[in-house]
Amino acid sequence: MAGLHKSEVTNPVLNWIDQRLPIVTMLQKEYGVFPTPRNFNYFWNFGALAMVTLMGMIVTGIFLAMNYQPNANLAFDSVQHIMRDVEYGWLIRYVHQNGASMFFIVTYIHIYRGLYYGSYKAPRELLWILGVVILLLMMATAFMGYVLPWGQMSYWGATVITNLFSAFPVVGKYIVTLLWGGFSVDQPTLNRFFALHYLLPFVLVGVIFLHIAALHIVGSNNPLGIDPKGPQDTLPFHPYYTVKDSVGICVFLMVWAAFVFFAPNFLGDPNNFIEANPLQTPADIVPEWYFLPYYAILRSVPNKLLGVCLMFGSLLVLLVLPWLDTSRVRSCRFRPTYKWLLWLWVLSFIVLGVCGAHKPEGVWVVLSRLATLYYFAHFLVITPILGKLERPLPLPESITQAVTGRPLENH
Amino acid sequence: MRAPRIFLAAIAAAGLFALPASVRAADDHAPAHAPIKIPEQKWSFDGIFGTPDLASAQRGFQVYSEVCSACHSMRQLHYRDLTGIGFTPEQVKAIASNFTVPQGTDDAGAPKEGPATPANMFRSPFPNDKAARAANNGALPPDLSLIVNAREGEANYIYGLLTGYAEPPAGFKMQAGMSYNKMFEGHQIAMPKPLNDGQIAYIDGTPTSVDQMARDVTTFLTWAANPEMAERKAMGVRVILFLGLLAGVTYAVKRKIWADVH
Ligand code: HEM
C-alpha cells in the first residue's frame, strides 16, 4: 500500500525521514524493544564482540590499503613504510594484525557457545548455516590477508595452501593455476589476493546482515535452551543487553589492546619479518595459530587428497549438524552425558591445534590421528546415536521459574 | 552456570597461550637432534614499561657503523630516524654527512654519489645480493633492519650469537672459511667473529669489551626493528587504564540497570 509510514518518532527531522524510510522504527524494533531472553550469560556477548572486531578490521584495513603496495617488489617495504613513516601506521597495522587473531578467538568461542547450548537446532538451522558461511569467508579473508605483507611465511604459506587444490583429480591443476594467475605464487597472486582481501570483508558484512535478520525472525536461544513463554521471560534488548554487551566490549578491547601495545608480535611468526624468497624454503612452514587444528587434520593422513577432503570436511560437517543431532533438548545443561563428550570434542580441537604446530612425526602423528578421529566421530556417530539414548534432565517449566525459583505467576 | 565459565576461561587461555606457545616450542626444537638453549639476558626494553636505553643504542649505532656496516645493510632506516635514539637533528646531519651515498644522476645522466643528508636511507655496503655473496664466501649477510624480530629468541639470540664464538669441540668438522658458533643452527657460520675486545673506541669512553659491544649493538638493533616501541608502550599504559576505568563504570551502570531484574 502506498503512503507514508506512521512514525511515532517525536524529533521532526527523524520523523520526516522515518515516514519515508522507517529505519528509526526498525532500529527501535530490532535493537530497542526487541524481546530478548532474560537469562543470557556472558557467552552471549561474543556475537557483539565479533561485530566490533569486524568493524575494527574494516576501518584499519582501509587505512592500511591507502599506504600498501600490492606489488611483489614493493609489498614488504610498503608494510615497513606503514610501520615507520606513516603517522600512527604502526598502531593501525598492529590493530589489524592482532585483530585477525582476536576475530578468530571470539568467533571460535561464539561457535562453541552455539554447540553447548544447542543454538543450531530447529528453528535456528539456517541461522547456524549462515554462521558457518561466515566462518569460511573469514578464513578465506584472513588467509589472503596474511599473504599481503609478503614475508617468508606469507609466501610459503600461500604456496602450501594453494597447492592443496592440486590434490583434486583432473581439475586440481587448473584450480591452482587459476588461484596463482600463473605457474607459481607471484605478482598476479599477490594482486588478486589483495583485491579479494579488500572485497570479502564486505561480503561478510552482507552475510552477517542475513545472519542477524534470521536471528531476529526466530529469536535468540538462551542458556536453558527452552523457548520464552511470555513477556515475563524476556527483557527489551535496550538497555539491558546494550549495557551488558558494553561491559563485554570494554573487557575485550582491553585484551586486544594488551596484545597490540605490549606483545604485538607474540602471535606472529619471526619468519614473516624476512622478505619472501622463492628460492629459500623455511625450515618449518606453519600457518597462523587459528588454522593449526585444520592443518593438523590435513597432515594426519598420509594421502594428500584424503587429507584435503578431511580438512574441508571438518568444516562442512558443521553445516549438517542440525540434522545429525537427534536430541530434542537444546542446552547441554540438561544433557548429562553429551555435555562431557562435547568437552572432549573441544579437547580434540585443542589437541589438533597443538599437533598442527609440530612436524607430523612420532607421537604427533598418533595424537593428531586420534583427535581427528574423535573430531569426526563426535559429529557423525556420537551426536546422532546419543541423542536417542541419552536421558535428559527434567527441563524447567519456564525461564522465569528457573531464574527466580518462583513458579509462573499466571499459572 | 559455573562449569561453562570455568571452561570458557580454559579455552580462552588455551587459545591465547597454549597454541602460539607451542608454535614457539616447535621452532625452538627445529633441529630435532641438538636443541640450542638461548640464555635469557636482562634488557632495558624488557617488560611493559621497558624502552631501549638511548645511550646504549647510540653506542650500538657506533658499533654498527664501524663494524657491521662493512657487510650488513639496514635498508629500512633513514638517517633522520636516528633522532629516535636521542641524537639531535644537528647531530644527525653531521652523522649523515660522513656517509657517501648514491644521489641520483648528474646532468650527463651518469650515476652520482655524494654525502648523505638526513633524508637518505642508510648506505648499503653492496650494490646487490650477488656482490654481497661474492665478497663473503658465497654467504649472504642478511639485512639487519628487522633481524631482532626475525629470529626466534629475539635480542637474546642476537646477543648470544655475537658472544657465541668459540673453538670447535674436538672432532667437530669445520668447512673452510667457516667459524664455530654456539648459538647458530648447525654451529658453522659464514660470518667471521665480528667483535673483539677493544676493537673500537666509544665516543663516550665506555670500555669496549665484546660483551659491552654485543649488548649495545643488540639494543640498537632492537630499536631499529621496533622504532615505535617507546611510544607504543607509553600509549598502551594509558589505553589500558582508560579502558579499565570505562569497563568499571560500564559494569556499575550494568549492575544498576539490572538491579530490578531478579
Ligand atoms: C574480515 C576482516 C579481515 C581480516 C580477518 C583480515 C586479516 C588480515 C591479516 C591476517 C593480515 C596480515 C597482517 C600481517 O601479518 O601483517 C591482513 C593484512 C592486510 N589487510 Fe586485512 N583483514 C580484514 C579486513 C580488511 C579490510 C576490510 C581491508 C581493506 C579495506 C584490509 C586490508 C589489508 C591490508 C592492506 C593488509 C596488508 C598490510 C599488512 O600486512 O598489515 N583488511 N589482513
Side-chain angles (χ1 to χ4, degrees):
Chain A
M1 238 230 305
L4 291 179
H5 169 73
K6 278 198 187 54
S7 175
E8 280 154 24
V9 182
T10 44
N11 178 306
V13 177
L14 285 182
N15 184 283
W16 185 89
I17 295 173
D18 205 45
Q19 285 180 340
R20 287 153 181 82
L21 182 69
I23 40 176
V24 183
T25 304
M26 188 194 98
L27 278 178
Q28 184 61 16
K29 177 159 166 276
E30 303 299 341
Y31 283 101
V33 297
F34 188 67
T36 313
R38 58 186 288 176
N39 60 330
F40 281 180
N41 57 27
Y42 275 100
F43 267 123
W44 264 261
N45 272 359
F46 284 85
L49 300 185
M51 274 307 280
V52 168
T53 318
L54 179 68
M55 288 189 294
M57 294 306 278
I58 290 183
V59 171
T60 51
I62 288 173
F63 281 97
L64 285 174
M66 289 178 191
N67 297 287
Y68 169 80
Q69 306 279 352
N71 176 307
N73 296 319
L74 305 175
F76 186 86
D77 288 349
S78 76
V79 171
Q80 283 307 310
H81 167 68
I82 292 173
M83 293 298 289
R84 290 160 190 272
D85 299 329
V86 173
E87 288 288 332
Y88 293 107
W90 59 267
L91 178 60
I92 298 167
R93 176 172 183 240
Y94 278 154
V95 168
H96 196 79
Q97 190 182 359
N98 288 283
S101 287
M102 294 299 124
F103 208 177
F104 278 93
I105 292 173
V106 163
T107 308
Y108 283 156
I109 296 176
H110 185 66
I111 293 173
Y112 163 75
R113 185 278 318 262
L115 292 172
Y116 190 89
Y117 296 109
S119 304
Y120 50 86
K121 293 186 200 188
R124 299 186 182 82
E125 305 95 320
L126 191 56
L127 175 58
W128 171 261
I129 289 173
L130 287 167
V132 179
V133 173
I134 291 170
L135 176 66
L136 294 171
L137 281 171
M138 258 177 75
M139 289 180 155
T141 309
F143 166 65
M144 295 193 212
Y146 190 62
V147 177
L148 303 185
W150 209 242
Q152 273 287 66
M153 223 28 106
S154 300
Y155 180 89
W156 289 99
T159 302
V160 169
I161 301 300
T162 48
N163 248 319
L164 293 180
F165 290 91
S166 70
F168 293 115
V170 190
V171 289
K173 275 209 323 270
Y174 300 102
I175 299 179
V176 177
T177 310
L178 191 69
L179 285 171
W180 287 343
F183 300 101
S184 69
V185 173
D186 205 338
Q187 172 58 37
T189 327
L190 178 60
N191 224 149
R192 66 189 53 194
F193 278 20
F194 177 59
L196 292 173
H197 184 69
Y198 207 134
L199 170 70
L200 288 186
F202 296 94
V203 177
L204 265 173
V205 170
V207 181
I208 289 168
F209 179 82
L210 297 179
H211 184 71
I212 292 175
L215 171 71
H216 281 222
I217 297 295
V218 295
S220 296
N221 188 27
N222 64 76
L224 293 169
I226 58 177
D227 294 326
K229 295 222 164 74
Q232 71 281 11
D233 285 346
T234 62
L235 295 168
F237 191 83
H238 181 74
Y240 293 99
Y241 286 110
T242 38
V243 74
K244 194 166 178 174
D245 280 346
S246 302
V247 174
I249 289 170
C250 289
V251 174
F252 170 63
L253 290 181
M254 280 171 80
V255 176
W256 191 348
F259 276 106
V260 167
F261 292 105
F262 301 122
N265 296 312
F266 180 77
L267 297 164
D269 190 307
N271 276 297
N272 237 25
F273 286 99
I274 305 170
E275 187 166 3
N277 181 352
L279 301 176
Q280 190 190 13
T281 320
D284 204 7
I285 301 174
V286 276
E288 291 279 87
W289 70 266
Y290 38 81
F291 291 134
L292 288 176
Y294 308 99
Y295 197 51
I297 292 178
L298 168 77
R299 299 204 293 183
S300 67
V301 290
N303 178 295
K304 187 168 163 189
L305 179 58
L306 184 60
V308 174
C309 290
L310 286 179
M311 184 180 79
F312 287 117
S314 67
L315 290 163
L316 297 180
V317 69
L318 294 174
L319 290 173
V320 289
L321 179 61
W323 295 276
L324 289 172
D325 193 340
T326 49
S327 169
R328 296 233 298 300
V329 175
R330 290 196 192 108
S331 173
C332 270
R333 257 192 222 174
F334 306 106
R335 301 191 60 186
T337 319
Y338 187 74
K339 171 156 111 187
W340 294 110
L341 293 168
L342 182 62
W343 282 121
L344 198 56
W345 176 83
V346 173
L347 183 69
S348 77
F349 191 71
I350 293 173
V351 167
L352 282 169
V354 178
C355 291
H358 290 85
K359 283 221 171 80
E361 302 164 338
V363 64
W364 299 113
V365 180
V366 181
L367 266 180
S368 57
R369 284 187 186 166
L370 284 176
T372 304
L373 191 69
Y374 188 77
Y375 183 105
F376 283 99
H378 177 84
F379 289 128
L380 297 174
V381 182
I382 293 177
T383 304
I385 296 179
L386 192 66
K388 295 229 169 5
L389 299 182
E390 186 179 41
R391 187 106 80 62
L393 304 178
L395 295 180
E397 203 181 325
S398 76
I399 294 176
T400 305
Q401 186 243 326
V403 175
T404 62
R406 291 197 305 267
L408 275 186
E409 275 134 33
N410 51 358
H411 261 215
Chain B
M1 195 78 177
R2 196 166 300 134
R5 291 225 180 124
I6 294 168
F7 281 108
L8 163 64
I11 303 178
L16 288 173
F17 299 108
L19 299 187
S22 63
V23 179
R24 309 204 142 204
D27 287 351
D28 289 346
H29 296 292
H33 39 282
I36 300 173
K37 274 254 171 327
I38 305 172
E40 297 254 340
Q41 308 291 327
K42 277 191 93 61
W43 297 103
S44 49
F45 43 81
D46 283 340
I48 290 180
F49 301 105
T51 58
D53 175 53
L54 296 188
S56 173
Q58 292 190 5
R59 288 193 299 270
F61 171 64
Q62 195 185 339
V63 176
Y64 169 73
S65 311
E66 294 185 22
V67 185
C68 324
S69 69
C71 303
H72 292 280
S73 61
M74 290 188 83
R75 298 191 296 116
Q76 306 293 352
L77 274 82
H78 297 83
Y79 291 107
R80 61 173 153 79
D81 296 328
L82 290 172
T83 51
I85 50 172
F87 288 114
T88 63
E90 289 70 38
Q91 283 173 312
V92 170
K93 225 182 218 164
I95 290 169
S97 64
N98 292 333
F99 298 94
T100 305
V101 295
Q103 296 282 18
T105 49
D106 64 17
D107 291 344
K112 196 174 72 169
E113 290 208 325
T117 67
N120 280 117
M121 300 183 115
F122 272 29
R123 190 184 74 95
S124 291
F126 302 105
N128 52 50
D129 285 0
K130 268 195 187 151
R133 280 185 193 278
N136 284 284
N137 254 332
L140 181 68
D143 185 86
L144 293 185
S145 318
L146 289 160
I147 198 79
V148 172
N149 292 0
R151 290 293 181 276
E152 207 61 59
E154 306 194 327
N156 294 323
Y157 171 74
I158 305 299
Y159 171 85
L161 182 82
L162 295 173
T163 54
Y165 285 85
E167 284 303 314
F172 190 92
K173 274 209 208 72
M174 297 288 298
Q175 285 167 309
M178 303 292 265
S179 307
Y180 184 83
N181 189 300
K182 288 184 275 189
M183 237 8 90
F184 194 66
E185 204 182 310
H187 300 301
Q188 298 202 51
I189 186 164
M191 167 166 71
K193 185 171 191 280
L195 297 174
N196 293 292
D197 287 333
Q199 174 176 6
I200 61 171
Y202 273 145
I203 300 172
D204 69 1
T206 309
T208 47
S209 63
V210 168
D211 179 79
Q212 181 68 41
M213 288 186 289
R215 275 185 174 280
D216 290 342
V217 79
T218 303
T219 304
F220 169 69
L221 293 174
T222 300
W223 165 79
N226 307 279
E228 83 301 340
M229 189 200 280
E231 189 187 3
R232 163 160 60 76
K233 288 181 175 175
M235 189 189 286
V237 171
R238 280 180 276 137
V239 169
I240 297 273
L241 283 179
F242 170 76
L243 286 173
L245 211 67
L246 193 65
V249 172
T250 315
Y251 187 65
V253 174
K254 188 251 167 196
R255 289 286 297 258
K256 187 140 196 304
I257 290 177
W258 279 76
D260 59 339
V261 185
H262 307 288

